């Protein structure tokens, strides 16, 4: 190995070991108890008073368990709240003391960027793997009972993730947490729920109330291209064609019809189901939502009043 290769390898190693040193004290191995039996996963401390972030599927059906940290301390934890539709959950340990890991913004990630996964795969505590961001903007279906939602902007990485990694940290080269790893059976991919403005809002609701309130519009749609002249004028390539309107729903009451194309909602472009879903969080409940539609080649403005999804 020549000097240049050796120096490059040393630089890579320094980054990975630096991230590991920073995050390992913040990551816990979770042992979960529930009526369905025991389970295991990972969690990352994100506040100084003992709140940890993990996956909802790690703590599904559980009220608590125990958390073991790299320094050998083991402490009980309680489940504060879980949101299956984002696959995020917050737990709180009885004996805080682990340092809080900094949360970043996955919207700034680039394909090919170095990332480091820290967790407890297969019960092997304090495991570290490294790789790159393989893809961005992936979608992952999540189900809560009969409700199906798409977790959008999921991060794909080639850093090895295995059962037990779920709930652990995915960090950038500075040791800032940009995602929560999720090992989903049947996918065979390294995936992570991103830390961004949407998920920060979800995490905040889980800490404050233990649940996530969502708004309901009562409309389903599919992306379609906008007419070229309108697309050029708006600087927006596509909209969302309405394929279903629930009778008596906020969308129906507002005067949204089958075949309409949603162009904007709340002043923001609507080009995908995910963009509409991002607007349907707690703050949207009971607040007028102006919507611009394309109907028979004319733009039409309506106002909907989203209600709480039960």
């Amino acid at each position: 190995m020549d000097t240049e290769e050796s120096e490059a390898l040393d630089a890579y190693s320094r980054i990975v070991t630096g991230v590991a040193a920073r995050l390992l004290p913040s990551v816990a191995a979770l042992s979960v108890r529930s009526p369905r039996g025991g389970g295991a996963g990972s969690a990352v401390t994100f506040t100084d008073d003992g709140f940890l972030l993990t996956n909802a599927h790690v703590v599904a059906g559980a009220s608590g368990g125990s958390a073991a940290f790299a320094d050998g301390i083991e402490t009980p934890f309680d489940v504060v709240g879980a949101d299956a539709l984002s696959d995020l959950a917050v737990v709180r340990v009885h004996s805080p003391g682990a340092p809080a890991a900094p949360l970043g913004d996955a919207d700034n990630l680039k394909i090919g960027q170095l990332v480091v996964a820290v967790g407890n795969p297969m019960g092997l505590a304090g495991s570290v793997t490294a790789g790159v961001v393989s893809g961005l903007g992936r979608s992952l279906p999540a189900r809560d009972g009969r409700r199906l939602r798409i977790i959008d902007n999921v991060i794909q990485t080639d850093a090895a993730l295995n059962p037990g990694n779920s709930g652990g940290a995915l960090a950038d080269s500075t040791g800032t947490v940009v995602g929560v790893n999720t090992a989903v059976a049947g996918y065979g991919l390294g995936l992570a729920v991103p830390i961004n403005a949407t998920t920060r809002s979800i995490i905040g609701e889980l800490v404050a109330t233990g649940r996530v309130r969502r708004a309901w519009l009562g409309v389903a749609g599919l992306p379609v291209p906008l007419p070229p002249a309108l697309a050029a004028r708006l600087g927006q390539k596509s909209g969302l064609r309405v394929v279903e309107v629930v009778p008596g729903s906020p969308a129906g009451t507002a005067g949204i019809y089958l075949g309409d194309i949603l162009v904007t909602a709340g002043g923001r472009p609507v080009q995908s189901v995910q963009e509409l879903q991002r607007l349907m969080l707690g703050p949207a409940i009971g607040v007028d939502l102006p919507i611009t539609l394309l109907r028979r080649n004319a733009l039409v403005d309506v106002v909907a009043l989203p209600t709480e999804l039960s």
Side-chain angles (χ1 to χ4, degrees):
M1 182 181 296
D2 61 31
T3 302
E4 186 174 336
E5 288 179 339
S6 178
E7 289 176 350
L9 182 59
D10 287 346
Y12 176 87
S13 297
R14 283 196 297 271
I15 291 173
V16 176
T17 55
V19 172
R22 184 173 188 181
L23 286 185
L24 279 171
S26 303
V27 175
L30 298 187
S31 178
V32 180
R33 60 177 186 273
S34 74
R36 296 182 297 180
S42 304
V44 56
T45 308
F46 68 98
T47 72
D48 290 328
D49 53 349
F51 285 97
L52 281 71
L53 189 59
T54 186
N55 287 139
H57 75 261
V58 169
V59 297
S63 60
S66 63
F69 289 89
D71 59 4
I73 291 177
E74 186 168 346
T75 176
F77 72 81
D78 298 317
V79 176
V80 176
D83 178 48
L85 295 181
S86 64
D87 198 21
L88 291 174
V90 171
V91 304
R92 191 174 193 181
V93 294
H94 291 191
S95 300
L103 300 184
D105 187 352
D107 289 348
N108 295 324
L109 289 176
K110 295 179 174 57
I111 292 176
Q113 184 173 337
L114 173 66
V115 284
V116 179
V118 182
N120 306 281
M122 316 298 283
L124 302 174
S127 293
V128 176
T129 59
V132 299
V133 174
S134 305
L136 293 167
R138 305 302 195 210
S139 296
L140 179 67
R143 187 177 293 276
D144 180 11
R146 299 191 322 184
R147 289 184 293 171
L148 180 67
R149 187 178 188 272
I150 301 299
I151 304 174
D152 62 332
N153 287 331
V154 170
I155 305 163
Q156 180 186 342
T157 175
D158 66 353
L161 299 179
N162 293 289
N165 264 122
S166 286
L170 185 73
D172 63 16
S173 59
T174 68
T176 300
V177 178
V178 291
V180 179
N181 299 321
T182 179
V184 182
Y187 281 85
L189 299 172
L191 301 174
V193 178
I195 301 296
N196 55 26
T198 301
T199 51
R200 281 176 180 272
S201 176
I202 289 170
I203 294 164
E205 284 202 59
L206 289 174
V207 170
T209 68
R211 60 187 289 261
V212 176
R213 300 171 69 225
R214 282 191 168 80
W216 181 63
L217 197 58
V219 65
L222 295 171
V224 293
L226 294 177
L230 180 62
R233 178 157 63 91
L234 298 178
Q236 178 179 336
K237 293 182 179 179
S238 60
L240 205 61
R241 183 181 298 279
V242 176
V243 296
E244 180 182 2
V245 179
V246 177
S249 67
T253 302
I256 298 175
Y257 303 116
L258 291 176
D260 287 347
I261 298 175
L262 274 67
V263 179
T264 66
R268 299 182 183 181
V270 176
Q271 303 188 78
S272 67
V273 174
Q274 293 94 322
E275 286 181 335
L276 187 60
Q277 284 180 343
R278 282 186 212 130
L279 299 175
M280 295 293 103
L281 291 174
I285 298 170
V287 176
D288 285 343
L289 180 69
I291 296 173
T292 298
L293 310 163
L294 180 64
R295 179 182 297 162
R296 292 192 289 273
N297 294 319
L299 292 176
V300 177
D301 292 324
V302 300
V303 177
L305 188 67
T307 57
E308 184 170 359
L309 179 66
S310 59

PDB file of all heavy atoms in Angstrom, residues 9 28 53 66 87 121 142 157 162 176 193 206 212 278 286:
ATOM      1  N   LEU A   9      -6.750   5.968   3.891  1.00  0.00           N
ATOM      2  CA  LEU A   9      -7.356   5.005   4.800  1.00  0.00           C
ATOM      3  C   LEU A   9      -7.321   5.520   6.227  1.00  0.00           C
ATOM      4  O   LEU A   9      -8.290   5.385   6.982  1.00  0.00           O
ATOM      5  CB  LEU A   9      -6.631   3.658   4.697  1.00  0.00           C
ATOM      6  CG  LEU A   9      -7.193   2.526   5.556  1.00  0.00           C
ATOM      7  CD1 LEU A   9      -8.649   2.259   5.200  1.00  0.00           C
ATOM      8  CD2 LEU A   9      -6.356   1.265   5.370  1.00  0.00           C
ATOM      9  N   ALA A  28     -28.144   3.105  23.340  1.00  0.00           N
ATOM     10  CA  ALA A  28     -28.477   2.049  24.292  1.00  0.00           C
ATOM     11  C   ALA A  28     -28.990   0.818  23.562  1.00  0.00           C
ATOM     12  O   ALA A  28     -29.583   0.912  22.484  1.00  0.00           O
ATOM     13  CB  ALA A  28     -29.542   2.537  25.274  1.00  0.00           C
ATOM     14  N   LEU A  53     -34.646   8.111  21.409  1.00  0.00           N
ATOM     15  CA  LEU A  53     -35.389   7.930  20.171  1.00  0.00           C
ATOM     16  C   LEU A  53     -35.142   6.525  19.640  1.00  0.00           C
ATOM     17  O   LEU A  53     -34.015   6.036  19.637  1.00  0.00           O
ATOM     18  CB  LEU A  53     -34.930   8.978  19.155  1.00  0.00           C
ATOM     19  CG  LEU A  53     -35.689   9.140  17.848  1.00  0.00           C
ATOM     20  CD1 LEU A  53     -37.154   9.494  18.102  1.00  0.00           C
ATOM     21  CD2 LEU A  53     -35.020  10.228  17.003  1.00  0.00           C
ATOM     22  N   SER A  66     -35.766  -2.505  29.594  1.00  0.00           N
ATOM     23  CA  SER A  66     -34.508  -2.041  30.172  1.00  0.00           C
ATOM     24  C   SER A  66     -33.571  -1.574  29.069  1.00  0.00           C
ATOM     25  O   SER A  66     -33.605  -2.082  27.942  1.00  0.00           O
ATOM     26  CB  SER A  66     -33.838  -3.151  30.984  1.00  0.00           C
ATOM     27  OG  SER A  66     -33.501  -4.244  30.159  1.00  0.00           O
ATOM     28  N   ASP A  87     -42.882   5.199  12.106  1.00  0.00           N
ATOM     29  CA  ASP A  87     -41.968   4.225  12.705  1.00  0.00           C
ATOM     30  C   ASP A  87     -40.987   4.903  13.658  1.00  0.00           C
ATOM     31  O   ASP A  87     -39.809   4.548  13.715  1.00  0.00           O
ATOM     32  CB  ASP A  87     -41.216   3.415  11.647  1.00  0.00           C
ATOM     33  CG  ASP A  87     -40.623   2.130  12.241  1.00  0.00           C
ATOM     34  OD1 ASP A  87     -41.107   1.685  13.304  1.00  0.00           O
ATOM     35  OD2 ASP A  87     -39.670   1.577  11.657  1.00  0.00           O
ATOM     36  N   PRO A 121     -26.757  -4.812  16.753  1.00  0.00           N
ATOM     37  CA  PRO A 121     -27.311  -5.885  15.930  1.00  0.00           C
ATOM     38  C   PRO A 121     -27.079  -7.258  16.538  1.00  0.00           C
ATOM     39  O   PRO A 121     -26.008  -7.533  17.083  1.00  0.00           O
ATOM     40  CB  PRO A 121     -26.544  -5.729  14.610  1.00  0.00           C
ATOM     41  CG  PRO A 121     -25.238  -5.132  15.004  1.00  0.00           C
ATOM     42  CD  PRO A 121     -25.587  -4.192  16.137  1.00  0.00           C
ATOM     43  N   ALA A 142     -45.717   1.972   5.839  1.00  0.00           N
ATOM     44  CA  ALA A 142     -45.874   1.724   7.276  1.00  0.00           C
ATOM     45  C   ALA A 142     -47.354   1.571   7.558  1.00  0.00           C
ATOM     46  O   ALA A 142     -48.182   2.292   7.000  1.00  0.00           O
ATOM     47  CB  ALA A 142     -45.295   2.874   8.088  1.00  0.00           C
ATOM     48  N   THR A 157     -28.763   3.194   2.744  1.00  0.00           N
ATOM     49  CA  THR A 157     -27.317   3.163   2.935  1.00  0.00           C
ATOM     50  C   THR A 157     -26.789   1.749   2.758  1.00  0.00           C
ATOM     51  O   THR A 157     -27.529   0.776   2.941  1.00  0.00           O
ATOM     52  CB  THR A 157     -26.945   3.679   4.340  1.00  0.00           C
ATOM     53  OG1 THR A 157     -25.552   3.533   4.553  1.00  0.00           O
ATOM     54  CG2 THR A 157     -27.680   2.916   5.432  1.00  0.00           C
ATOM     55  N   ASN A 162     -28.667  -4.927  10.672  1.00  0.00           N
ATOM     56  CA  ASN A 162     -29.251  -6.220  10.967  1.00  0.00           C
ATOM     57  C   ASN A 162     -30.249  -6.073  12.100  1.00  0.00           C
ATOM     58  O   ASN A 162     -30.282  -5.040  12.782  1.00  0.00           O
ATOM     59  CB  ASN A 162     -28.155  -7.228  11.368  1.00  0.00           C
ATOM     60  CG  ASN A 162     -27.229  -7.553  10.212  1.00  0.00           C
ATOM     61  OD1 ASN A 162     -27.608  -8.224   9.268  1.00  0.00           O
ATOM     62  ND2 ASN A 162     -26.005  -7.045  10.284  1.00  0.00           N
ATOM     63  N   THR A 176     -23.209  13.783  13.870  1.00  0.00           N
ATOM     64  CA  THR A 176     -24.568  14.308  14.017  1.00  0.00           C
ATOM     65  C   THR A 176     -25.557  13.275  13.497  1.00  0.00           C
ATOM     66  O   THR A 176     -25.386  12.744  12.391  1.00  0.00           O
ATOM     67  CB  THR A 176     -24.719  15.623  13.228  1.00  0.00           C
ATOM     68  OG1 THR A 176     -23.774  16.583  13.735  1.00  0.00           O
ATOM     69  CG2 THR A 176     -26.123  16.183  13.354  1.00  0.00           C
ATOM     70  N   VAL A 193     -35.089   6.074   8.917  1.00  0.00           N
ATOM     71  CA  VAL A 193     -36.076   7.153   8.938  1.00  0.00           C
ATOM     72  C   VAL A 193     -35.306   8.458   9.130  1.00  0.00           C
ATOM     73  O   VAL A 193     -34.490   8.572  10.045  1.00  0.00           O
ATOM     74  CB  VAL A 193     -37.078   6.947  10.084  1.00  0.00           C
ATOM     75  CG1 VAL A 193     -38.081   8.094  10.127  1.00  0.00           C
ATOM     76  CG2 VAL A 193     -37.798   5.605   9.933  1.00  0.00           C
ATOM     77  N   LEU A 206     -44.536  13.506  20.382  1.00  0.00           N
ATOM     78  CA  LEU A 206     -44.411  12.303  21.204  1.00  0.00           C
ATOM     79  C   LEU A 206     -43.897  12.653  22.590  1.00  0.00           C
ATOM     80  O   LEU A 206     -44.384  12.119  23.599  1.00  0.00           O
ATOM     81  CB  LEU A 206     -43.483  11.289  20.530  1.00  0.00           C
ATOM     82  CG  LEU A 206     -44.023  10.605  19.275  1.00  0.00           C
ATOM     83  CD1 LEU A 206     -42.941   9.746  18.632  1.00  0.00           C
ATOM     84  CD2 LEU A 206     -45.240   9.744  19.607  1.00  0.00           C
ATOM     85  N   VAL A 212     -49.235  11.261  18.309  1.00  0.00           N
ATOM     86  CA  VAL A 212     -49.140  12.188  17.189  1.00  0.00           C
ATOM     87  C   VAL A 212     -50.527  12.397  16.606  1.00  0.00           C
ATOM     88  O   VAL A 212     -51.178  11.438  16.172  1.00  0.00           O
ATOM     89  CB  VAL A 212     -48.182  11.658  16.096  1.00  0.00           C
ATOM     90  CG1 VAL A 212     -48.172  12.593  14.889  1.00  0.00           C
ATOM     91  CG2 VAL A 212     -46.777  11.518  16.653  1.00  0.00           C
ATOM     92  N   ARG A 278     -47.230  15.508   4.386  1.00  0.00           N
ATOM     93  CA  ARG A 278     -46.412  16.352   5.255  1.00  0.00           C
ATOM     94  C   ARG A 278     -47.220  17.499   5.854  1.00  0.00           C
ATOM     95  O   ARG A 278     -46.910  17.996   6.933  1.00  0.00           O
ATOM     96  CB  ARG A 278     -45.235  16.942   4.474  1.00  0.00           C
ATOM     97  CG  ARG A 278     -44.106  15.967   4.255  1.00  0.00           C
ATOM     98  CD  ARG A 278     -42.912  16.650   3.609  1.00  0.00           C
ATOM     99  NE  ARG A 278     -42.217  15.714   2.748  1.00  0.00           N
ATOM    100  CZ  ARG A 278     -41.881  15.955   1.494  1.00  0.00           C
ATOM    101  NH1 ARG A 278     -42.175  17.124   0.946  1.00  0.00           N
ATOM    102  NH2 ARG A 278     -41.255  15.053   0.777  1.00  0.00           N
ATOM    103  N   GLY A 286     -58.282  21.728  12.074  1.00  0.00           N
ATOM    104  CA  GLY A 286     -59.173  22.848  12.375  1.00  0.00           C
ATOM    105  C   GLY A 286     -58.707  24.196  11.867  1.00  0.00           C
ATOM    106  O   GLY A 286     -59.230  25.225  12.274  1.00  0.00           O
TER     107      GLY A 286
END
